């Protein structure tokens, strides 16, 4: 394969950093000073030796042409992926000033690349063979039935606890403290309903959380009650809504839709963590299909999930949608080209249209917190102690979520705009709009905001 991808920007490289400390440390290594024997190949490999505190330099190599996102190897002891040396090497390569010339791969680089690609071929070959689970569908059916029974028992118990809360008055929730909710969440985990457990933990954070907390608690209790009832009456629901209920209680489904082949633009990538598990969300936009889909992946605490796809890159691939009414989650299938920079951006809508799209999505999924939307020609504007995105050609605006107002990405957005209209992709929900990526008017590269 002759890799023809363009060099990435520094922003796209730094978006791969697992945390702020790695981003800062990697930036310091993005100069030629500590590096020697650097090079890149037509196969999409970048390598180099980085001087460290010891006598022996660190061997660092990155496979840029990997269609699932860049892969890294470094002889340093860091457990972060990518480490600061890989980030520094990519920044040096992205600079395009001849510091990373084309050349022949050294033996240590060639061995790693060959081993990776051989293992990838073996995995693809194994993917076509029947799994142990599919070899015994009857055993799989019995396991599914037993789990459904446990979830039903958990949902029934949760309904009783919600009824007791309403009967005793919401003030009792403040007096009971967080322990009551943690105990209830643990019971839902025992019932193998992680979706219910997560929503119960969210309830526990609402009492005494500020003015109006009883209203917020009652609203969330109502949504949880609706989800419980949806599960207990799932046989009576339309199949699409029943699939949504199953996914919301925590039953992991499998993609069942026909694969959609398109050229996909990476709109945004960000991670969230609960201390036990890191969840990565990657939003993709299909240029031909005009579809926005979500890739979800998970990593145990301390390890970044895969894949890692820098914002602003495009690649051709199949994606298969998951079941469920209004669900945007999809699985990444066969990939035909490596990610490469492109000038593509999704079409923008007005702020009223964005709010309307979220409202329409709620009809299919009442538990939806937000919906992906691209706003066209908006200007970040201060509003009291917060911010909003105002339509440049109208008198309407969307407020930013409280969490968005405290992130560094807000100031990158304000600086990019400079009072002029910008295009902003983000998530629109009942708490407001969370900006994730922005583009300047006219030509310009995507700027990650998360």
């Amino acid at each position: 394969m002759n890799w023809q991808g363009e060099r990435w920007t520094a922003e796209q490289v730094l978006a791969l950093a697992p945390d702020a400390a790695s981003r800062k440390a990697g930036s310091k290594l993005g100069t030629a000073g500590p590096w020697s024997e650097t090079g890149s190949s037509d196969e999409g490999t970048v390598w180099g030796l980085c001087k460290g505190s010891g006598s022996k330099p660190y061997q660092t190599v990155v496979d840029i042409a990997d269609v699932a996102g860049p892969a890294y190897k470094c002889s340093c002891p860091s457990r972060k992926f990518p480490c600061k040396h890989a980030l520094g090497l990519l920044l040096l390569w992205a600079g395009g000033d001849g510091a990373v010339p084309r050349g022949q791969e050294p033996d240590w680089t060639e061995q790693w690349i060959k081993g990776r690609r051989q293992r990838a071929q073996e995995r693809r070959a194994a993917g076509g063979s029947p799994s142990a689970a599919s070899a015994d569908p009857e055993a799989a059916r019995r396991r599914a039935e037993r789990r459904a029974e446990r979830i039903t028992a958990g949902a029934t118990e949760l309904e009783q606890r919600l009824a007791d809360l309403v009967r005793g008055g919401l003030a009792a929730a403040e007096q009971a403290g967080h322990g009551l909710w943690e105990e209830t969440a643990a019971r839902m985990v025992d019932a193998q309903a992680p979706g219910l457990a997560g929503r119960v933990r969210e309830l526990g954070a609402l009492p005494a959380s500020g003015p109006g907390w009883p209203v917020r608690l009652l609203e969330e209790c109502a949504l949880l009650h609706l989800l419980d009832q949806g599960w207990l009456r799932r046989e009576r629901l339309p199949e699409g809504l029943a699939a949504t209920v199953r996914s919301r209680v925590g039953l992991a489904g499998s993609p069942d839709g026909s694969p959609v082949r398109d050229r996909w633009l990476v709109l945004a990538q960000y991670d969230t963590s609960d201390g036990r598990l890191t969840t990565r969300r990657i939003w993709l936009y299909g240029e031909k299909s005009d579809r926005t889909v979500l890739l979800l992946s998970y990593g145990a605490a301390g390890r970044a999930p895969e894949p890692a796809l820098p914002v602003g890159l495009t690649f051709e691939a199949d994606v298969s949608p998951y079941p469920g009414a209004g669900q945007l989650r999809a699985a990444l299938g066969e990939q035909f080209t490596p990610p490469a920079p492109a000038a593509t951006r999704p079409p923008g809508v007005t702020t009223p249209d964005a709010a309307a799209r979220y409202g329409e999505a709620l009809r299919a999924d009442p538990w939806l917190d937000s919906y992906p939307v691209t706003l066209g020609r908006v200007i970040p504007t201060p509003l009291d102690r917060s911010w909003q995105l105002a339509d440049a050609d109208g008198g309407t605006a969307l407020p930013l979520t409280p969490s968005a107002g405290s992130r560094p990405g807000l100031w990158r957005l304000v600086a990019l705009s400079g009072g002029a209209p910008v295009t902003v992709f983000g998530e629109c929900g009942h708490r407001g709009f969370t900006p994730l990526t922005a583009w300047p008017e006219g030509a310009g590269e995507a700027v990650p905001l998360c």
Side-chain angles (χ1 to χ4, degrees):
M1 177 184 67
N2 187 13
W3 186 68
Q4 299 295 332
E6 300 177 12
R7 292 182 187 269
W8 301 352
T9 65
E11 284 283 356
Q12 289 167 335
V13 171
L14 292 175
L16 298 169
D19 51 41
S22 298
R23 189 177 299 113
K24 183 177 180 180
S27 297
K28 292 180 179 179
L29 294 175
T31 60
W35 292 95
S36 62
E37 300 183 31
T38 58
S40 62
S41 74
D42 290 338
E43 299 296 315
T45 308
V46 181
W47 64 86
L49 302 179
C50 187
K51 184 179 180 180
S53 56
S55 59
K56 190 174 181 180
Y58 297 122
Q59 295 178 333
T60 308
V61 56
V62 183
D63 184 2
I64 302 214
D66 192 312
V67 290
Y72 324 90
K73 180 176 176 58
C74 185
S75 59
C76 76
S78 175
R79 299 183 58 144
K80 295 181 179 180
F81 295 94
C83 67
K84 63 181 181 181
H85 306 101
L87 290 170
L89 178 61
L90 285 177
L91 287 172
L92 192 65
W93 167 78
D97 56 0
V100 184
R102 291 293 176 108
Q104 179 64 41
E105 297 173 349
D107 290 343
W108 57 272
T109 297
E110 187 178 9
Q111 290 172 6
W112 179 70
I113 289 292
K114 283 185 177 179
R116 286 195 77 255
R117 293 177 180 168
Q118 181 178 351
R119 289 191 294 271
Q121 290 177 353
E122 291 172 353
R123 285 196 298 269
R124 285 194 293 268
S129 60
S131 65
S134 61
D136 191 354
E138 180 60 26
R141 183 189 63 79
R142 289 196 298 269
R143 287 194 299 270
E145 287 181 350
R146 288 194 296 269
R147 183 174 182 184
E149 290 172 358
R150 284 192 286 268
I151 295 175
T152 297
T156 302
E157 179 182 345
L158 183 55
E159 280 291 276
Q160 184 60 52
R161 296 203 177 197
L162 291 174
D164 292 343
L165 173 64
V166 174
R167 190 179 300 112
L170 298 184
E174 184 176 14
Q175 298 169 1
H178 198 68
L180 172 64
W181 302 104
E182 278 298 324
E183 177 195 350
T184 305
R187 297 284 293 171
M188 296 305 104
V189 171
D190 292 342
Q192 294 186 287
L196 294 179
R199 299 193 77 93
V200 168
R201 289 193 181 97
E202 291 176 5
L203 286 182
L206 291 177
S209 60
W213 71 261
V215 174
R216 295 193 296 274
L217 179 61
L218 188 60
E219 290 173 346
E220 292 301 320
C221 284
L223 284 172
L224 188 51
H225 167 69
L226 182 65
L227 183 56
D228 274 345
Q229 290 299 314
W231 172 261
L232 296 173
R233 293 170 169 78
R234 60 192 181 280
E235 291 84 1
R236 308 179 196 175
L237 299 178
E239 179 51 37
L241 183 56
T244 298
V245 168
R246 288 194 292 269
S247 68
R248 288 296 182 184
V249 301
L251 278 176
S254 300
D256 65 352
S258 300
V260 178
R261 180 169 178 171
D262 206 336
R263 187 155 192 88
W264 299 96
L265 167 67
V266 184
L267 289 173
Q269 173 183 296
Y270 66 95
D271 296 347
T272 56
S273 177
D274 61 3
R276 298 179 295 272
L277 190 70
T278 299
T279 302
R280 172 163 294 169
R281 291 173 172 83
I282 300 177
W283 287 107
L284 303 177
Y285 171 74
E287 297 178 15
K288 297 178 183 178
S289 60
D290 193 29
R291 295 179 61 167
T292 302
V293 299
L294 174 65
L295 306 181
L296 278 179
S297 57
Y298 304 93
R303 294 191 64 88
E306 294 182 348
L309 298 172
V311 172
L313 301 188
T314 64
F315 60 97
E316 189 172 350
D318 285 337
V319 300
S320 299
Y322 277 74
Q327 298 301 295
L328 298 179
R329 185 183 176 188
L332 191 59
E334 185 177 358
Q335 296 145 65
F336 306 102
T337 63
T344 304
R345 65 176 69 181
V349 301
T350 63
T351 55
D353 286 340
R357 290 190 180 189
Y358 174 57
E360 292 170 3
L362 281 175
R363 293 195 301 180
D365 183 357
W367 306 278
L368 190 65
D369 286 329
S370 59
Y371 191 77
V373 179
T374 301
L375 299 175
R377 291 184 54 77
V378 291
I379 302 173
T381 309
L383 175 67
D384 297 329
R385 296 185 179 180
S386 60
W387 287 77
Q388 62 182 4
L389 294 177
D391 278 311
D393 305 317
T396 57
L398 277 177
L400 297 189
T401 57
S403 60
S406 61
R407 294 176 181 171
L410 170 62
W411 304 112
R412 290 201 294 272
L413 175 60
V414 173
L416 179 69
S417 166
V422 290
T423 298
V424 183
F425 169 77
E427 296 171 349
C428 180
H430 60 92
R431 297 183 182 91
F433 187 88
T434 301
L436 300 176
T437 305
W439 296 262
E441 279 282 273
E445 298 168 342
V447 177
L449 306 175
C450 54

